Amino acid sequence: MSSKFLTFSGNFRKTFALPEGHRVQWFPGHMQKGIAQLLARLRSIDCVLEIHDARIPFSGRTPLFKDMMKMKAHVLLLNKCDLADLSRKPDIVKKLQGEGVDKVLFTNLTAANSKIIKHQLFPLVVEAIHSKPRYNRETAEDYEMAVIGVPNVGKSTFINYVRRSHTTIKKKSLRVGAVAGVTKVLSGKIRANFNPPVFLMDTPGILTPQVSDLEEGMKLALCGCFPDHVVGEDLIADYMLFWFNKISDFRYVEHFGLPEPTDNVKVLLNHVAKENQLVKRIKSPDSREHQFFPDYVAAATLVLKQFREGGLGPVLLEDFCVR
């Protein structure tokens, strides 16, 4: 956090609101289909491995997943921890435990070598499985695990990592991407060559059909769990600006070269557009001449890319961290 503006007392917004007619919602047909397929295969599943974004450890976890963890063994893997501010990690773990989540790991699946996955995750999974009745799978010698979570948190990346690290069979990797909605169907059983044997099943990213809490939805959007165009790149950038001002963290000022903090996203986007020569050409309706304007969408896209890649530093987008 830049110390230059620690005492800055701007007249910032106290609440965030979207323009009239806008809402945060994305629930395409493949999500509904994925839920039905997942529930149909629930009897054969021993453990639910939920992967979520470490920057929002409490926000945006689909209620369906919380219901499933009551019935099945459950492990929560908070991914992208390299992008998260973990200075209050003990508080995060304690709060999750209070919500009934007692098996939590923090990971960075993009790292070349994730010792946590290799040495901690699967023993924890087996421990979780044996802590609950297996019902119709009591005599099974293998373990089946569903990998679930909201879009774009690293589920397919996790499965690809496990296959590369623990099998000698060369198979085509699952598609991954930096945008939401890459995986659209349930995968078949994917073997990880452990002793005892563990089989994985990838699932589509699933959101709740109705996002009732606006800020929770905007946090998901800011972390890339929605396609940007669903909410609007400029509106997502506006929420990022609102959040930093809300917690009196003005790191964006120095990062983007602004003269001072601002509560107006157009000031930020106009500055970024000019600094990076992001312009759009629009033909004047009264003449054949073209006029040039700052491209706010391109500027917002650049701002979000910087944020999501960690250019603005680690963050924790949770209200419990506001002091």
Side-chain angles (χ1 to χ4, degrees):
M1 181 188 304
S2 175
S3 60
K4 183 178 180 181
F5 300 104
L6 284 179
T7 59
F8 188 84
S9 57
N11 186 23
F12 299 130
R13 290 167 287 179
K14 303 302 181 184
T15 59
F16 182 82
L18 288 175
E20 187 176 352
H22 287 73
R23 59 180 180 172
V24 184
Q25 183 177 341
W26 185 55
F27 192 74
H30 75 265
M31 289 189 185
Q32 183 63 55
K33 184 178 180 181
I35 290 174
Q37 291 176 330
L38 180 58
L39 293 177
R41 293 172 64 172
L42 197 59
R43 279 176 56 86
S44 66
I45 294 171
D46 296 303
C47 181
V48 174
L49 174 65
E50 180 187 356
I51 301 181
H52 199 60
D53 195 308
R55 293 169 292 185
I56 45 173
F58 316 117
S59 297
R61 293 175 56 220
T62 305
L64 170 66
F65 302 157
K66 295 181 180 180
D67 291 338
M68 289 179 66
M69 61 181 265
K70 297 175 184 176
M71 300 180 288
K72 296 289 182 179
H74 172 263
V75 175
L76 176 62
L77 193 155
L78 290 173
N79 190 34
K80 304 184 181 182
C81 68
D82 56 312
L83 303 176
D85 178 3
L86 298 183
S87 61
R88 296 190 64 187
K89 183 176 177 179
D91 296 328
I92 295 173
V93 173
K94 183 177 180 180
K95 182 174 173 60
L96 286 169
Q97 288 174 339
E99 297 178 357
V101 183
D102 60 348
K103 292 179 172 54
V104 185
L105 286 177
F106 293 79
T107 61
N108 171 18
L109 294 176
T110 60
N113 180 25
S114 180
K115 293 182 179 179
I116 290 177
I117 297 296
K118 185 175 182 181
H119 300 296
Q120 297 183 40
L121 176 60
F122 284 93
L124 193 64
V125 166
V126 173
E127 178 186 329
I129 291 171
H130 286 290
S131 69
K132 287 197 173 185
R134 295 182 73 189
Y135 298 111
N136 59 310
R137 287 186 51 78
E138 285 184 355
T139 60
E141 295 182 359
D142 64 326
Y143 300 98
E144 294 199 17
M145 181 170 63
V147 182
I148 65 173
V150 299
N152 198 30
V153 290
K155 298 181 300 298
S156 296
T157 300
F158 163 76
I159 290 180
N160 286 337
Y161 173 84
V162 170
R163 286 206 302 197
R164 287 195 305 268
S165 302
H166 302 287
T167 66
T168 57
I169 303 172
K170 303 300 180 183
K171 290 186 178 180
K172 185 178 180 181
S173 296
L174 300 176
R175 260 185 86 206
V176 298
V179 295
V182 172
T183 302
K184 290 185 168 59
V185 296
L186 267 73
S187 72
K189 291 170 61 173
I190 301 170
R191 184 184 181 100
N193 195 23
F194 292 115
N195 183 20
V198 176
F199 291 88
L200 310 176
M201 178 180 67
D202 193 17
T203 66
I206 296 173
L207 295 161
T208 183
Q210 298 287 340
V211 179
S212 57
D213 184 274
L214 173 60
E215 279 212 52
E216 188 165 301
M218 292 306 299
K219 290 172 186 177
L220 286 167
L222 183 54
C223 291
C225 301
F226 291 85
D228 287 343
H229 70 270
V230 170
V231 179
E233 291 85 350
D234 56 334
L235 296 177
I236 302 173
D238 190 25
Y239 182 75
M240 183 204 78
L241 183 65
F242 165 79
W243 177 263
F244 278 133
N245 289 335
K246 178 181 178 178
I247 62 174
S248 299
D249 185 342
F250 305 118
R251 69 181 83 174
Y252 68 87
V253 177
E254 184 175 347
H255 183 84
F256 292 113
L258 291 168
E260 63 179 9
T262 179
D263 201 34
N264 187 340
V265 73
K266 288 186 178 180
V267 172
L268 170 63
L269 298 183
N270 187 67
H271 178 82
V272 171
K274 287 184 176 180
E275 288 293 309
N276 294 275
Q277 299 181 334
L278 302 173
V279 297
K280 58 181 178 180
R281 187 175 64 172
I282 300 177
K283 189 174 182 180
S284 172
D286 301 324
S287 67
R288 295 182 178 180
E289 295 182 353
H290 288 83
Q291 294 179 306
F292 295 87
F293 299 90
D295 190 335
Y296 287 157
V297 172
T301 299
L302 179 60
V303 168
L304 294 177
K305 185 173 186 291
Q306 293 273 311
F307 172 85
R308 290 167 181 165
E309 292 180 352
L312 276 72
V315 295
L316 183 61
L317 302 172
E318 295 291 3
D319 288 314
F320 97 117
C321 75
V322 181
R323 306 189 186 194

